[in-house]
């Protein structure tokens, strides 16, 4: 009886702890020429006063509105035709307008008209508007808005700190050849790679507890296409079914 009581108290403690904790989640979005970038060679990125993300490339200027890319180049008939669309750098001037650097000089980009004109090198428009920072050494550490410390290793691996150690986070492919990073005002982390850009968005995934019988030891777990949870327990040989809100729908026992 005392053993069962200890087991019950331990189970309740663990379930309460799990309810209060949450797993860090990182959503990875990759952008290349196949997904809208005008050119794979990106040279700089920044966020403007309206929250738009801009990328300078070797084929003009790209604007990202959160869903789609729009490309701007110097076309015949413009007031000032840049001799090349190969943009090396971008900054914001004191008026919050984009200024682009090419091998031939600096050009002001009018966001309202989409036209380029001659300009001088601007002063950086304050730290309130994010801009890409060159990666000089590894690992690269970043703390998300939930206080979780993330790390990108020299091999492109992604991990997060859990207690005193780092846990590897699974991604489809490593972030190799990382050149530049930027945190936007929405607390997303942008990675400029050789061949495209990556956006990392962070969240917290709550852990659900299941109110099983105190002596029931879970043996298997399954989520079906209707988001129902199937939990099989060893001690009583019962298969329980829960809905996505953790409500018990029924169970199957021994025949």
């Amino acid at each position: 009886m005392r053993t069962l009581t200890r087991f019950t108290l331990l189970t309740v403690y663990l379930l309460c702890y799990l309810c209060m904790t949450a797993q860090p989640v990182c959503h990875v979005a990759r952008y290349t020429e196949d997904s809208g970038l005008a050119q794979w060679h990106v040279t700089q990125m920044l966020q403007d006063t309206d929250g738009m993300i801009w990328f300078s490339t070797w084929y003009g200027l790209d604007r990202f509105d959160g869903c789609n890319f729009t490309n701007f180049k110097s076309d015949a008939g413009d007031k000032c035709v840049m001799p090349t669309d190969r943009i090396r750098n971008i900054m914001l001037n004191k008026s919050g307008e984009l200024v682009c650097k090419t091998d031939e000089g600096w050009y002001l980009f009018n966001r309202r008209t989409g036209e380029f004109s001659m300009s001088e090198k601007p002063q950086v428009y304050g730290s309130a508007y994010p801009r890409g920072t060159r990666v000089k050494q590894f690992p690269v550490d970043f703390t998300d808005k939930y206080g979780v410390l993330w790390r990108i290793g020299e091999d492109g691996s992604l991990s997060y700190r859990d207690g005193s150690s780092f846990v590897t986070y699974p991604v489809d492919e490593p972030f190799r050849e990382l050149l530049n990073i930027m945190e936007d005002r929405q607390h997303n982390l942008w990675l400029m790679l050789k061949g495209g850009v990556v956006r990392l968005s962070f969240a917290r995934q709550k852990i659900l507890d299941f109110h099983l019988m105190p002596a029931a030891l879970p043996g298997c777990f399954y989520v079906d296409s209707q988001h129902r949870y199937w939990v099989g327990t060893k001690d009583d040989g019962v298969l329980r079914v829960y809905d996505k809100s953790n409500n018990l729908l029924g169970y199957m026992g021994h025949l």
Side-chain angles (χ1 to χ4, degrees), residues 17-27 144 146 148 150 160 169 202-208 229 244:
Y17 173 77
L18 289 176
C19 288
M20 292 186 293
T21 60
Q23 296 175 331
V25 175
C26 178
H27 300 288
D144 67 21
Y146 302 99
V148 178
W150 295 83
Y160 65 91
Y169 192 88
F202 302 94
R204 297 284 275 173
Q205 178 65 50
K206 293 183 179 180
I207 300 175
L208 295 176
Y229 303 95
K244 62 182 181 181

Side-chain angles (χ1 to χ4, degrees), residues 36-176:
L37 272 177
Q39 222 274 348
W40 65 269
H41 194 134
V42 179
T43 57
Q44 183 55 286
M45 53 188 172
L46 60 78
Q47 186 175 31
D48 70 11
T49 56
D50 296 324
M52 298 291 185
I53 307 294
W54 294 84
F55 303 96
S56 54
T57 78
W58 279 17
Y59 193 63
L61 193 61
D62 278 359
R63 182 188 67 198
F64 183 66
D65 61 8
C67 296
N68 301 305
F69 287 88
T70 303
N71 180 250
F72 300 92
K73 302 188 301 295
S74 179
D75 297 321
D78 288 347
K79 295 179 181 179
C80 177
V81 179
M82 290 191 300
T84 177
D85 291 318
R86 182 173 291 186
I87 302 177
R88 300 282 187 178
N89 198 0
I90 49 176
M91 295 183 180
L92 291 179
N93 63 17
K94 292 183 178 180
S95 300
E97 296 295 339
L98 280 165
V99 182
C100 307
K101 173 70 168 62
T102 71
D103 291 334
E104 288 72 25
W106 292 87
Y107 293 84
L108 176 68
F109 175 75
N110 190 312
R111 289 182 293 169
R112 292 176 294 278
T113 64
E115 296 178 340
F116 295 88
S117 60
M118 291 294 296
S119 178
E120 297 180 354
K121 182 179 178 179
Q123 299 292 325
V124 178
Y125 187 59
S127 59
Y129 299 98
R131 184 169 176 266
T133 303
R134 181 182 176 185
V135 175
K136 298 181 179 180
Q137 62 181 10
F138 289 91
V140 175
D141 290 342
F142 170 76
T143 302
D144 67 21
K145 62 182 178 181
Y146 302 99
V148 178
L149 178 63
W150 295 83
R151 171 167 291 179
I152 302 175
E154 190 170 5
D155 60 352
S157 61
L158 179 66
S159 59
Y160 65 91
R161 189 167 184 173
D162 184 13
S164 59
S165 61
F166 280 86
V167 178
T168 300
Y169 192 88
V171 293
D172 55 351
E173 59 180 292
F175 309 126
R176 293 193 178 95

